[in-house]
Amino acid sequence: LLCLLQWWTGVQVLPSVRIPSNLVQELNTVWALLPPPPAVPEWAVERKEVGNRAEMYSVQYERTARPDPGKIIWVARDSDDLGWDIEDRSVQPVRCIEVKGRRDEDVIFFLSENEWAKAQIVGTRHEIHFWGGINLSREPAMEYAALRAAGYPMVISNITEKVRGGTYEATAVRWRIRATGQTPDQGETQ
């Protein structure tokens, strides 16, 4: 501990330990106990930024297309629990828009279990906005104009119906396994 403390200005370790009162007060604060923020891999930071950028573009797209832009609400800023990112409250029932973005232009995206379940519940009120070719090094206003000129967003209405109809393919990429409480089969270990 003394080795660490000696790096602070005003701390003396020899011949006796002296720690300035302001440092003692700081070390006694509750936020001094906070662990360092978790290290997030660069790919995860980029993926989140691409998603944020796509959502921002959809909010802009919707607000410019509606007579009352204030009725377009970026709900994902407050909570991820809804299963969609944007609500268009200018119509009743409310349109629910999930936004997906990619750096390349391949129309591939992932829906969480919650997003898929909510898409099924909301049905025809659910849309997906897909933005491809997002380049984080471009200035957002310029990129938005370029992506709009390229035909984005691709708007997919009622994805669950489109999957059932064969227009899109949904593939389970992971499974959650949970014990049901039934007794395991003979020879199976618990």
Side-chain angles (χ1 to χ4, degrees):
L1 181 60
L2 291 177
C3 289
L4 292 174
L5 284 173
Q6 71 182 355
W7 290 98
W8 270 280
T9 306
V11 172
Q12 178 183 334
V13 293
L14 292 173
S16 61
V17 177
R18 292 185 184 259
I19 302 172
S21 62
N22 65 332
L23 180 56
V24 171
Q25 288 174 346
E26 179 67 23
L27 292 173
N28 281 331
T29 62
V30 72
W31 46 86
L33 301 174
L34 285 173
V40 178
E42 186 62 30
W43 64 266
V45 172
E46 284 184 19
R47 179 184 289 174
K48 179 68 174 151
E49 184 57 32
V50 167
N52 288 343
R53 190 82 63 107
E55 288 177 20
M56 177 177 57
Y57 294 160
S58 282
V59 168
Q60 179 66 21
Y61 172 77
E62 288 295 322
R63 285 184 175 170
T64 58
R66 302 288 167 245
D68 185 354
K71 300 270 185 176
I72 304 301
I73 311 299
W74 194 348
V75 295
R77 286 289 197 193
D78 297 325
S79 173
D80 282 334
D81 295 338
L82 287 174
W84 54 83
D85 302 310
I86 301 167
E87 289 182 354
D88 175 1
R89 297 179 183 170
S90 70
V91 295
Q92 290 300 323
V94 171
R95 284 173 51 233
C96 305
I97 303 165
E98 174 61 24
V99 182
K100 299 298 178 182
R102 285 183 67 94
R103 292 169 77 78
D104 61 33
E105 296 178 6
D106 296 337
V107 183
I108 299 170
F109 53 87
F110 295 89
L111 293 177
S112 70
E113 189 173 328
N114 182 46
E115 290 167 347
W116 179 251
K118 297 296 175 93
Q120 292 178 58
I121 292 166
V122 174
T124 58
R125 296 184 302 120
H126 187 271
E127 293 178 8
I128 293 177
H129 284 192
F130 176 82
W131 296 85
I134 292 177
N135 181 344
L136 296 176
S137 66
R138 290 202 291 192
E139 192 272 319
M142 299 297 288
E143 181 174 53
Y144 175 77
L147 291 175
R148 287 291 297 127
Y152 290 104
M154 173 188 289
V155 178
I156 306 165
S157 300
N158 198 354
I159 189 67
T160 58
E161 204 50 46
K162 299 267 176 30
V163 168
R164 280 190 213 104
T167 306
Y168 291 91
E169 175 183 82
T171 306
V173 291
R174 64 179 225 195
W175 294 90
R176 183 177 75 140
I177 308 299
R178 181 176 66 90
T180 61
Q182 296 178 355
T183 308
D185 295 336
Q186 290 289 358
E188 191 175 320
T189 59
Q190 291 191 28

